[in-house]
mmCIF file of all heavy atoms in Angstrom:
data_model
loop_
_atom_site.group_PDB
_atom_site.id
_atom_site.type_symbol
_atom_site.label_atom_id
_atom_site.label_comp_id
_atom_site.label_asym_id
_atom_site.label_seq_id
_atom_site.Cartn_x
_atom_site.Cartn_y
_atom_site.Cartn_z
ATOM 1 N N GLY A 560 107.364 69.671 164.091
ATOM 2 C CA GLY A 560 108.181 70.804 164.507
ATOM 3 C C GLY A 560 109.348 71.014 163.571
ATOM 4 O O GLY A 560 109.662 70.154 162.730
ATOM 5 N N VAL A 561 109.982 72.167 163.708
ATOM 6 C CA VAL A 561 111.237 72.471 162.998
ATOM 7 C C VAL A 561 112.371 72.321 163.997
ATOM 8 O O VAL A 561 112.377 72.974 165.042
ATOM 9 C CB VAL A 561 111.214 73.889 162.413
ATOM 10 C CG1 VAL A 561 112.568 74.227 161.791
ATOM 11 C CG2 VAL A 561 110.102 74.018 161.365
ATOM 12 N N TYR A 562 113.312 71.465 163.670
ATOM 13 C CA TYR A 562 114.437 71.154 164.559
ATOM 14 C C TYR A 562 115.720 71.599 163.872
ATOM 15 O O TYR A 562 116.135 71.011 162.869
ATOM 16 C CB TYR A 562 114.470 69.656 164.862
ATOM 17 C CG TYR A 562 113.241 69.148 165.576
ATOM 18 C CD1 TYR A 562 112.069 68.848 164.874
ATOM 19 C CD2 TYR A 562 113.232 68.977 166.955
ATOM 20 C CE1 TYR A 562 110.940 68.396 165.528
ATOM 21 C CE2 TYR A 562 112.099 68.514 167.626
ATOM 22 C CZ TYR A 562 110.961 68.233 166.901
ATOM 23 O OH TYR A 562 109.831 67.779 167.563
ATOM 24 N N ARG A 563 116.347 72.641 164.398
ATOM 25 C CA ARG A 563 117.602 73.142 163.811
ATOM 26 C C ARG A 563 118.756 72.542 164.603
ATOM 27 O O ARG A 563 119.166 73.080 165.635
ATOM 28 C CB ARG A 563 117.619 74.671 163.850
ATOM 29 C CG ARG A 563 116.527 75.305 163.005
ATOM 30 C CD ARG A 563 116.628 76.817 162.975
ATOM 31 N NE ARG A 563 115.471 77.396 162.311
ATOM 32 C CZ ARG A 563 115.352 77.576 160.990
ATOM 33 N NH1 ARG A 563 116.363 77.247 160.200
ATOM 34 N NH2 ARG A 563 114.259 78.086 160.473
ATOM 35 N N GLU A 564 119.262 71.415 164.112
ATOM 36 C CA GLU A 564 120.287 70.694 164.854
ATOM 37 C C GLU A 564 121.005 69.702 163.953
ATOM 38 O O GLU A 564 120.517 69.366 162.862
ATOM 39 C CB GLU A 564 119.682 69.968 166.053
ATOM 40 C CG GLU A 564 118.507 69.049 165.709
ATOM 41 C CD GLU A 564 117.920 68.376 166.937
ATOM 42 O OE1 GLU A 564 118.583 67.467 167.463
ATOM 43 O OE2 GLU A 564 116.818 68.750 167.361
ATOM 44 N N ARG A 565 122.144 69.235 164.415
ATOM 45 C CA ARG A 565 122.870 68.144 163.768
ATOM 46 C C ARG A 565 122.567 66.876 164.556
ATOM 47 O O ARG A 565 122.836 66.796 165.752
ATOM 48 C CB ARG A 565 124.370 68.431 163.776
ATOM 49 C CG ARG A 565 125.311 67.220 163.684
ATOM 50 C CD ARG A 565 125.351 66.600 162.314
ATOM 51 N NE ARG A 565 126.217 65.415 162.297
ATOM 52 C CZ ARG A 565 127.497 65.419 161.899
ATOM 53 N NH1 ARG A 565 128.068 66.537 161.532
ATOM 54 N NH2 ARG A 565 128.199 64.306 161.900
ATOM 55 N N VAL A 566 121.972 65.893 163.897
ATOM 56 C CA VAL A 566 121.652 64.626 164.540
ATOM 57 C C VAL A 566 122.774 63.640 164.228
ATOM 58 O O VAL A 566 123.030 63.325 163.069
ATOM 59 C CB VAL A 566 120.302 64.065 164.050
ATOM 60 C CG1 VAL A 566 119.976 62.758 164.771
ATOM 61 C CG2 VAL A 566 119.187 65.087 164.264
ATOM 62 N N ALA A 567 123.449 63.175 165.263
ATOM 63 C CA ALA A 567 124.584 62.266 165.103
ATOM 64 C C ALA A 567 124.323 61.008 165.922
ATOM 65 O O ALA A 567 124.598 60.984 167.136
ATOM 66 C CB ALA A 567 125.871 62.934 165.550
ATOM 67 N N PRO A 568 123.771 59.945 165.315
ATOM 68 C CA PRO A 568 123.520 58.719 166.068
ATOM 69 C C PRO A 568 124.776 58.217 166.764
ATOM 70 O O PRO A 568 125.843 58.104 166.158
ATOM 71 C CB PRO A 568 123.057 57.738 164.987
ATOM 72 C CG PRO A 568 122.474 58.608 163.916
ATOM 73 C CD PRO A 568 123.322 59.842 163.919
ATOM 74 N N ALA A 569 124.652 57.913 168.047
ATOM 75 C CA ALA A 569 125.793 57.425 168.823
ATOM 76 C C ALA A 569 126.057 55.952 168.578
ATOM 77 O O ALA A 569 127.178 55.482 168.756
ATOM 78 C CB ALA A 569 125.563 57.673 170.310
ATOM 79 N N ARG A 570 125.028 55.224 168.180
ATOM 80 C CA ARG A 570 125.188 53.779 167.962
ATOM 81 C C ARG A 570 124.139 53.294 166.971
ATOM 82 O O ARG A 570 123.107 53.937 166.776
ATOM 83 C CB ARG A 570 125.085 53.004 169.282
ATOM 84 C CG ARG A 570 123.751 53.148 169.988
ATOM 85 C CD ARG A 570 123.785 52.616 171.407
ATOM 86 N NE ARG A 570 124.715 53.363 172.236
ATOM 87 C CZ ARG A 570 124.388 54.520 172.843
ATOM 88 N NH1 ARG A 570 123.193 55.037 172.686
ATOM 89 N NH2 ARG A 570 125.267 55.146 173.578
ATOM 90 N N GLY A 571 124.447 52.167 166.360
ATOM 91 C CA GLY A 571 123.497 51.519 165.473
ATOM 92 C C GLY A 571 122.891 50.304 166.130
ATOM 93 O O GLY A 571 123.053 50.077 167.339
ATOM 94 N N GLY A 572 122.189 49.506 165.330
ATOM 95 C CA GLY A 572 121.601 48.272 165.841
ATOM 96 C C GLY A 572 122.569 47.115 165.723
ATOM 97 O O GLY A 572 123.738 47.284 165.341
ATOM 98 N N THR A 573 122.054 45.941 166.036
ATOM 99 C CA THR A 573 122.904 44.748 166.013
ATOM 100 C C THR A 573 122.433 43.695 165.015
ATOM 101 O O THR A 573 123.063 42.654 164.882
ATOM 102 C CB THR A 573 122.962 44.123 167.410
ATOM 103 O OG1 THR A 573 121.625 43.860 167.879
ATOM 104 C CG2 THR A 573 123.660 45.062 168.393
ATOM 105 N N GLY A 574 121.327 43.967 164.312
ATOM 106 C CA GLY A 574 120.829 43.012 163.340
ATOM 107 C C GLY A 574 119.504 43.472 162.769
ATOM 108 O O GLY A 574 118.939 44.490 163.204
ATOM 109 N N PRO A 575 118.967 42.732 161.787
ATOM 110 C CA PRO A 575 117.705 43.140 161.153
ATOM 111 C C PRO A 575 116.538 43.266 162.124
ATOM 112 O O PRO A 575 115.607 44.032 161.867
ATOM 113 C CB PRO A 575 117.466 42.015 160.141
ATOM 114 C CG PRO A 575 118.798 41.410 159.896
ATOM 115 C CD PRO A 575 119.540 41.520 161.191
ATOM 116 N N ASP A 576 116.578 42.521 163.217
ATOM 117 C CA ASP A 576 115.497 42.583 164.201
ATOM 118 C C ASP A 576 115.854 43.458 165.398
ATOM 119 O O ASP A 576 115.081 43.548 166.362
ATOM 120 C CB ASP A 576 115.129 41.179 164.679
ATOM 121 C CG ASP A 576 116.320 40.410 165.227
ATOM 122 O OD1 ASP A 576 117.460 40.868 165.020
ATOM 123 O OD2 ASP A 576 116.109 39.354 165.849
ATOM 124 N N LYS A 577 117.003 44.118 165.366
ATOM 125 C CA LYS A 577 117.448 45.005 166.453
ATOM 126 C C LYS A 577 117.952 46.322 165.856
ATOM 127 O O LYS A 577 119.089 46.736 166.072
ATOM 128 C CB LYS A 577 118.561 44.336 167.264
ATOM 129 C CG LYS A 577 118.129 43.107 168.048
ATOM 130 C CD LYS A 577 117.224 43.490 169.225
ATOM 131 C CE LYS A 577 116.891 42.262 170.076
ATOM 132 N NZ LYS A 577 115.978 42.603 171.202
ATOM 133 N N ILE A 578 117.057 46.965 165.124
ATOM 134 C CA ILE A 578 117.411 48.209 164.451
ATOM 135 C C ILE A 578 117.195 49.396 165.389
ATOM 136 O O ILE A 578 116.327 49.369 166.258
ATOM 137 C CB ILE A 578 116.566 48.351 163.165
ATOM 138 C CG1 ILE A 578 117.203 47.531 162.036
ATOM 139 C CG2 ILE A 578 116.409 49.787 162.722
ATOM 140 C CD1 ILE A 578 116.479 47.606 160.722
ATOM 141 N N VAL A 579 117.984 50.440 165.211
ATOM 142 C CA VAL A 579 117.737 51.731 165.855
ATOM 143 C C VAL A 579 116.979 52.591 164.845
ATOM 144 O O VAL A 579 117.441 52.777 163.718
ATOM 145 C CB VAL A 579 119.054 52.417 166.263
ATOM 146 C CG1 VAL A 579 118.788 53.848 166.729
ATOM 147 C CG2 VAL A 579 119.752 51.627 167.363
ATOM 148 N N SER A 580 115.820 53.111 165.251
ATOM 149 C CA SER A 580 114.935 53.767 164.294
ATOM 150 C C SER A 580 114.607 55.198 164.698
ATOM 151 O O SER A 580 114.244 55.471 165.844
ATOM 152 C CB SER A 580 113.627 52.968 164.151
ATOM 153 O OG SER A 580 112.816 53.515 163.138
ATOM 154 N N TYR A 581 114.714 56.116 163.721
ATOM 155 C CA TYR A 581 114.339 57.516 163.872
ATOM 156 C C TYR A 581 113.132 57.748 162.972
ATOM 157 O O TYR A 581 113.240 57.642 161.746
ATOM 158 C CB TYR A 581 115.480 58.432 163.446
ATOM 159 C CG TYR A 581 116.723 58.288 164.293
ATOM 160 C CD1 TYR A 581 117.606 57.226 164.111
ATOM 161 C CD2 TYR A 581 117.018 59.215 165.287
ATOM 162 C CE1 TYR A 581 118.743 57.086 164.890
ATOM 163 C CE2 TYR A 581 118.156 59.096 166.069
ATOM 164 C CZ TYR A 581 119.013 58.024 165.868
ATOM 165 O OH TYR A 581 120.137 57.888 166.648
ATOM 166 N N GLU A 582 111.996 58.070 163.546
ATOM 167 C CA GLU A 582 110.758 58.126 162.777
ATOM 168 C C GLU A 582 109.961 59.390 163.090
ATOM 169 O O GLU A 582 109.868 59.805 164.243
ATOM 170 C CB GLU A 582 109.868 56.919 163.094
ATOM 171 C CG GLU A 582 110.528 55.574 162.981
ATOM 172 C CD GLU A 582 109.623 54.450 163.465
ATOM 173 O OE1 GLU A 582 108.382 54.609 163.357
ATOM 174 O OE2 GLU A 582 110.135 53.436 163.962
ATOM 175 N N ALA A 583 109.365 59.976 162.056
ATOM 176 C CA ALA A 583 108.340 60.986 162.285
ATOM 177 C C ALA A 583 107.116 60.271 162.836
ATOM 178 O O ALA A 583 106.741 59.193 162.361
ATOM 179 C CB ALA A 583 107.995 61.691 160.979
ATOM 180 N N ALA A 584 106.489 60.836 163.869
ATOM 181 C CA ALA A 584 105.273 60.246 164.415
ATOM 182 C C ALA A 584 104.193 60.225 163.335
ATOM 183 O O ALA A 584 104.214 61.047 162.408
ATOM 184 C CB ALA A 584 104.809 61.049 165.623
ATOM 185 N N PRO A 585 103.262 59.291 163.397
ATOM 186 C CA PRO A 585 102.208 59.220 162.378
ATOM 187 C C PRO A 585 101.517 60.567 162.185
ATOM 188 O O PRO A 585 101.044 61.171 163.145
ATOM 189 C CB PRO A 585 101.252 58.170 162.948
ATOM 190 C CG PRO A 585 102.123 57.290 163.790
ATOM 191 C CD PRO A 585 103.142 58.212 164.403
ATOM 192 N N GLY A 586 101.499 61.052 160.940
ATOM 193 C CA GLY A 586 100.861 62.317 160.622
ATOM 194 C C GLY A 586 101.663 63.557 160.953
ATOM 195 O O GLY A 586 101.209 64.674 160.684
ATOM 196 N N ALA A 587 102.865 63.393 161.519
ATOM 197 C CA ALA A 587 103.667 64.543 161.940
ATOM 198 C C ALA A 587 104.466 65.111 160.773
ATOM 199 O O ALA A 587 104.912 64.373 159.887
ATOM 200 C CB ALA A 587 104.611 64.155 163.074
ATOM 201 N N ASN A 588 104.660 66.412 160.784
ATOM 202 C CA ASN A 588 105.501 67.102 159.804
ATOM 203 C C ASN A 588 106.790 67.504 160.504
ATOM 204 O O ASN A 588 106.846 68.521 161.196
ATOM 205 C CB ASN A 588 104.787 68.329 159.252
ATOM 206 C CG ASN A 588 105.614 69.072 158.205
ATOM 207 O OD1 ASN A 588 106.507 68.484 157.589
ATOM 208 N ND2 ASN A 588 105.337 70.340 158.022
ATOM 209 N N VAL A 589 107.824 66.698 160.340
ATOM 210 C CA VAL A 589 109.093 66.885 161.038
ATOM 211 C C VAL A 589 110.124 67.423 160.048
ATOM 212 O O VAL A 589 110.407 66.787 159.026
ATOM 213 C CB VAL A 589 109.582 65.564 161.660
ATOM 214 C CG1 VAL A 589 110.929 65.761 162.337
ATOM 215 C CG2 VAL A 589 108.553 65.027 162.649
ATOM 216 N N ILE A 590 110.700 68.581 160.338
ATOM 217 C CA ILE A 590 111.700 69.195 159.471
ATOM 218 C C ILE A 590 112.965 69.440 160.293
ATOM 219 O O ILE A 590 112.919 70.145 161.307
ATOM 220 C CB ILE A 590 111.198 70.521 158.876
ATOM 221 C CG1 ILE A 590 109.878 70.307 158.128
ATOM 222 C CG2 ILE A 590 112.247 71.111 157.941
ATOM 223 C CD1 ILE A 590 109.259 71.587 157.598
ATOM 224 N N VAL A 591 114.069 68.852 159.855
ATOM 225 C CA VAL A 591 115.355 69.037 160.526
ATOM 226 C C VAL A 591 116.232 69.876 159.597
ATOM 227 O O VAL A 591 116.465 69.496 158.445
ATOM 228 C CB VAL A 591 116.027 67.697 160.845
ATOM 229 C CG1 VAL A 591 117.273 67.919 161.690
ATOM 230 C CG2 VAL A 591 115.056 66.759 161.571
ATOM 231 N N LYS A 592 116.717 71.022 160.103
ATOM 232 C CA LYS A 592 117.423 71.974 159.262
ATOM 233 C C LYS A 592 118.848 72.215 159.758
ATOM 234 O O LYS A 592 119.084 72.311 160.960
ATOM 235 C CB LYS A 592 116.683 73.319 159.243
ATOM 236 C CG LYS A 592 115.286 73.263 158.629
ATOM 237 C CD LYS A 592 114.748 74.668 158.408
ATOM 238 C CE LYS A 592 113.397 74.627 157.724
ATOM 239 N NZ LYS A 592 112.986 75.963 157.249
ATOM 240 N N GLY A 593 119.743 72.386 158.811
ATOM 241 C CA GLY A 593 121.110 72.763 159.133
ATOM 242 C C GLY A 593 121.328 74.254 159.024
ATOM 243 O O GLY A 593 122.458 74.703 158.839
ATOM 244 N N SER A 594 120.258 75.028 159.127
ATOM 245 C CA SER A 594 120.333 76.482 158.980
ATOM 246 C C SER A 594 119.930 77.173 160.272
ATOM 247 O O SER A 594 119.345 76.568 161.171
ATOM 248 C CB SER A 594 119.424 76.949 157.845
ATOM 249 O OG SER A 594 118.071 76.587 158.106
ATOM 250 N N ARG A 595 120.231 78.475 160.333
ATOM 251 C CA ARG A 595 119.840 79.307 161.466
ATOM 252 C C ARG A 595 119.096 80.533 160.951
ATOM 253 O O ARG A 595 119.450 81.103 159.919
ATOM 254 C CB ARG A 595 121.077 79.747 162.263
ATOM 255 C CG ARG A 595 121.916 78.605 162.806
ATOM 256 C CD ARG A 595 121.177 77.769 163.838
ATOM 257 N NE ARG A 595 122.032 76.691 164.346
ATOM 258 C CZ ARG A 595 122.083 75.464 163.829
ATOM 259 N NH1 ARG A 595 121.336 75.172 162.767
ATOM 260 N NH2 ARG A 595 122.868 74.544 164.362
ATOM 261 N N LEU A 596 118.069 80.946 161.683
ATOM 262 C CA LEU A 596 117.330 82.161 161.357
ATOM 263 C C LEU A 596 118.126 83.389 161.780
ATOM 264 O O LEU A 596 118.702 83.409 162.870
ATOM 265 C CB LEU A 596 115.981 82.163 162.074
ATOM 266 C CG LEU A 596 114.822 81.400 161.416
ATOM 267 C CD1 LEU A 596 113.638 81.332 162.374
ATOM 268 C CD2 LEU A 596 114.419 82.056 160.104
ATOM 269 N N VAL A 597 118.157 84.402 160.929
ATOM 270 C CA VAL A 597 118.805 85.672 161.291
ATOM 271 C C VAL A 597 117.825 86.805 161.003
ATOM 272 O O VAL A 597 117.643 87.206 159.861
ATOM 273 C CB VAL A 597 120.139 85.875 160.544
ATOM 274 C CG1 VAL A 597 121.206 84.949 161.085
ATOM 275 C CG2 VAL A 597 119.986 85.624 159.043
ATOM 276 N N LYS A 598 117.190 87.315 162.032
ATOM 277 C CA LYS A 598 116.201 88.381 161.878
ATOM 278 C C LYS A 598 116.815 89.754 162.090
ATOM 279 O O LYS A 598 116.471 90.713 161.412
ATOM 280 C CB LYS A 598 115.053 88.171 162.877
ATOM 281 C CG LYS A 598 114.193 86.948 162.609
ATOM 282 C CD LYS A 598 113.390 87.110 161.316
ATOM 283 C CE LYS A 598 112.297 88.152 161.435
ATOM 284 N NZ LYS A 598 111.474 88.257 160.212
ATOM 285 N N SER A 599 117.711 89.869 163.050
ATOM 286 C CA SER A 599 118.264 91.175 163.398
ATOM 287 C C SER A 599 119.681 91.308 162.854
ATOM 288 O O SER A 599 120.261 90.367 162.317
ATOM 289 C CB SER A 599 118.265 91.343 164.918
ATOM 290 O OG SER A 599 119.063 90.337 165.527
ATOM 291 N N GLY A 600 120.237 92.524 163.015
ATOM 292 C CA GLY A 600 121.629 92.764 162.640
ATOM 293 C C GLY A 600 121.842 93.250 161.229
ATOM 294 O O GLY A 600 122.985 93.490 160.813
ATOM 295 N N TRP A 601 120.770 93.445 160.450
ATOM 296 C CA TRP A 601 120.913 93.900 159.074
ATOM 297 C C TRP A 601 121.049 95.426 159.023
ATOM 298 O O TRP A 601 120.354 96.151 159.741
ATOM 299 C CB TRP A 601 119.709 93.459 158.243
ATOM 300 C CG TRP A 601 119.606 91.972 158.075
ATOM 301 C CD1 TRP A 601 118.796 91.119 158.769
ATOM 302 C CD2 TRP A 601 120.343 91.173 157.157
ATOM 303 N NE1 TRP A 601 118.981 89.824 158.345
ATOM 304 C CE2 TRP A 601 119.926 89.824 157.347
ATOM 305 C CE3 TRP A 601 121.312 91.444 156.192
ATOM 306 C CZ2 TRP A 601 120.451 88.769 156.613
ATOM 307 C CZ3 TRP A 601 121.828 90.385 155.451
ATOM 308 C CH2 TRP A 601 121.400 89.066 155.673
ATOM 309 N N GLU A 602 121.920 95.887 158.142
ATOM 310 C CA GLU A 602 122.113 97.324 157.949
ATOM 311 C C GLU A 602 122.581 97.565 156.516
ATOM 312 O O GLU A 602 123.050 96.644 155.848
ATOM 313 C CB GLU A 602 123.145 97.847 158.946
ATOM 314 C CG GLU A 602 124.499 97.189 158.829
ATOM 315 C CD GLU A 602 125.486 97.658 159.904
ATOM 316 O OE1 GLU A 602 125.048 98.386 160.805
ATOM 317 O OE2 GLU A 602 126.667 97.299 159.811
ATOM 318 N N PRO A 603 122.444 98.783 156.013
ATOM 319 C CA PRO A 603 122.917 99.059 154.643
ATOM 320 C C PRO A 603 124.403 98.738 154.496
ATOM 321 O O PRO A 603 125.207 99.009 155.389
ATOM 322 C CB PRO A 603 122.651 100.560 154.476
ATOM 323 C CG PRO A 603 121.523 100.844 155.421
ATOM 324 C CD PRO A 603 121.756 99.936 156.603
ATOM 325 N N SER A 604 124.773 98.147 153.368
ATOM 326 C CA SER A 604 126.164 97.749 153.130
ATOM 327 C C SER A 604 127.069 98.969 153.013
ATOM 328 O O SER A 604 126.682 100.012 152.448
ATOM 329 C CB SER A 604 126.268 96.908 151.856
ATOM 330 O OG SER A 604 125.681 95.635 152.049
#
Side-chain angles (χ1 to χ4, degrees):
V561 175
Y562 298 81
R563 296 184 188 274
E564 54 181 287
R565 156 73 182 263
V566 182
R570 61 192 63 84
T573 55
D576 55 347
K577 293 290 185 182
I578 278 181
V579 171
S580 186
Y581 297 79
E582 308 173 29
N588 181 23
V589 178
I590 304 176
V591 187
K592 296 191 177 192
S594 60
R595 301 295 181 268
L596 277 171
V597 288
K598 292 292 290 183
S599 61
W601 294 100
E602 59 184 7
S604 290

